[in-house]
Amino acid sequence: MRPFIFTKPATADQALIKKTNQAQFIAGGTNLLDLMKKHIALPEELLDVTNALPAAITANTKGIRIDAMVRNSAIASQAEVLSQFPLLAKAVLAGASPQIRNMASTAGNLLQRTRCPYFYDTTVPCNKRIPGTGCSAMDGDNRMSAIVGYSNQCVAVHPSDMCIALAALEANVLVTGRDKKQHSIPFKDFHRLPGTTPQLDNNLPANAVITAVEIPGNRFQKNFAYVKVRDRDSYAFALISVAAALHMEAGVISEARLASGGVAHKPWRWYKAEQFLKGKKPSAENFRQAASIAVGETKPLANNKFKTVMLQGAIETALQNCLTA
Amino acid sequence: MERKQSFSRRFFLKTTSFAGALALIPPKAKALYTELKQRLIPTKEIMPLTVTINKKAYEVKADSRTTLLDLLRENLHLTGTKKGCDHGQCGACTVHIDGQRVLSCLTLAVMTTGKNVTTIEGLADGDKLHPMQQAFIECDGFQCGYCTPGQIMSAVACVNEGHTRSVAEIKEFMSGNLCRCGAYNGIVESIQKVAI
């Protein structure tokens, strides 16, 4: 690890004043420390924000606000989350291990880097790690890589489970810039597709800080599911994950949400499939067709064609599980 | 093509006058040197820190890069906590901070200032083993024993959290601790025994 100066700002304002391109925020540290040990992240200064940022979950009539420093395990066991946003709790529990969930912060979860093996291997080219060097995964072992939304410069996938639920629930990311102005970024616009700038994972303004995530109230308390397919039963990143939520009125689907992890550089929403389900009966045939519409959007790479079959099954299963949740 | 190993008069004058110019502005040259050195070989940041481990307060000076795991093992010689992968993938380094199980390899020591850390050494009450330690012995919860301190710390937390309602739930909430000997059945049994 490269030596660094350590400071612990007491307030968010102080943290923002000290934030430069060479200084990085640290909260849970579960991703950043790992990257620093591997010399992928080389900050000259670490700003410990565990005291500077708030750590409360507050519910009101419009929805729920989860502060930046709320640990993942706290989200998964909070009463209001469990009763009003059960999909979120389910997705959080599908990610990482109990130890890591006790450490990982809400804001940090949004900012975690990809787990593409070539990003972690500093002996090979990677456009995300060092722009312009090339993508080793493109023609390499791309079994875990993206099947949609990738570019010829990067095929990495977004690793979070929590973010898949937040995408499906159309959360907003609250951000404070150095000018102390608050912005609200819709979740779908927070993470980026690789395009020609794969080194950028998200649209967080330079030297800004995430203060909270807000989820608007919804009607997905009854019919929801989170399906995660991975190499082992627990404590592994997703090959395919699906967050599904339905609202039914008079026997037909009035609102549907479908999002996936393990498929793209950002949490991916299947808008066309959602649109198809609207007004339809919740039948196995309709679920099959919705899944086919989603699969139709994908373009697998040489070693991950299996992911399209897996996605078809995962979406059908998730939608089916919505009815029995 | 052969290259001659010789220095021209021009080269000699250029370099010596440059060196001379540097010598004439010593403070600036020194600053440049330190800045360059800092960039190439950044200096270590040594920090004083106070941590409470197993109810005992320690005051130590450590590099800012020191993880809690290295502080325990290298600085304080509390070697019960094990280093498995050092990347948060195996759970061997599991300890409790303020009663919550965490990975000490992904925790900066300096970030535990003012917190209560409990390691495997802090579980037993004198010579009397913690019920979980006793259960691991009785249920064959280990073979080589390397992952065991982490397994036991995680198991104690698993019981405290109440994630012991079924074998499936125990397995799910113990998935952060790998055991390459495969003593999983004994570990699950130990947890069930203590949870009752």
Side-chain angles (χ1 to χ4, degrees), chain A residues 72-99:
Chain A
N72 281 189
S73 52
I75 296 178
S77 61
Q78 208 264 353
E80 194 71 23
V81 173
L82 287 169
S83 68
Q84 296 304 305
F85 307 91
L87 174 63
L88 177 64
K90 218 161 182 196
V92 167
L93 285 178
S97 69
Q99 289 97 314

Side-chain angles (χ1 to χ4, degrees), chain A residues 70-296:
Chain A
V70 175
R71 311 282 176 172
N72 281 189
S73 52
I75 296 178
S77 61
Q78 208 264 353
E80 194 71 23
V81 173
L82 287 169
S83 68
Q84 296 304 305
F85 307 91
L87 174 63
L88 177 64
K90 218 161 182 196
V92 167
L93 285 178
S97 69
Q99 289 97 314
I100 291 176
R101 292 196 293 268
N102 277 342
M103 305 166 75
S105 70
T106 304
N109 193 312
L110 266 58
L111 300 178
Q112 63 179 310
R113 311 295 315 264
T114 183
R115 258 62 178 196
C116 178
Y118 297 103
F119 175 71
Y120 270 80
D121 183 351
T122 49
T123 63
V124 297
C126 169
N127 283 328
K128 189 178 268 303
R129 193 165 16 84
I130 307 167
T133 52
C135 175
S136 301
M138 181 67 72
D139 297 311
D141 183 1
N142 46 35
R143 180 177 170 270
M144 304 282 288
S145 305
I147 52 172
V148 67
Y150 55 83
S151 73
N152 61 0
Q153 300 204 15
C154 181
V155 294
V157 295
H158 176 79
S160 168
D161 288 294
M162 185 183 92
C163 288
I164 309 306
L166 290 175
L169 298 176
E170 298 191 341
N172 293 300
V173 185
L174 300 188
V175 164
T176 305
R178 290 200 78 162
D179 51 3
K180 292 189 187 173
K181 278 199 186 116
Q182 280 234 8
H183 312 264
S184 173
I185 306 174
F187 210 81
K188 66 176 170 56
D189 301 327
F190 185 77
H191 293 98
R192 296 169 62 99
L193 287 181
T196 53
T197 51
Q199 71 275 20
L200 301 174
D201 294 344
N202 55 61
N203 289 317
L204 183 67
N207 300 326
V209 69
I210 297 173
T211 52
V213 169
E214 272 182 350
I215 315 173
N218 61 49
R219 300 177 292 179
F220 303 125
Q221 288 74 29
K222 207 168 149 236
N223 305 113
F224 64 91
Y226 191 75
V227 169
K228 186 177 179 186
V229 192
R230 42 189 157 170
D231 284 331
R232 61 182 180 204
D233 237 15
S234 180
Y235 198 23
F237 289 99
L239 288 166
I240 295 281
S241 69
V242 176
L246 300 174
H247 181 68
M248 245 88 75
E249 267 169 48
V252 296
I253 298 163
S254 60
E255 205 179 356
R257 302 271 175 86
L258 272 178
S260 276
V263 298
H265 194 265
K266 62 186 273 186
W268 193 262
R269 279 280 294 275
W270 305 107
Y271 290 109
K272 282 183 197 156
E274 289 177 6
Q275 204 53 43
F276 167 82
L277 286 169
K278 216 172 170 181
K280 301 270 188 332
K281 282 205 168 72
S283 68
E285 175 54 25
N286 283 333
F287 292 166
R288 194 191 60 76
Q289 284 191 38
S292 297
I293 291 168
V295 170

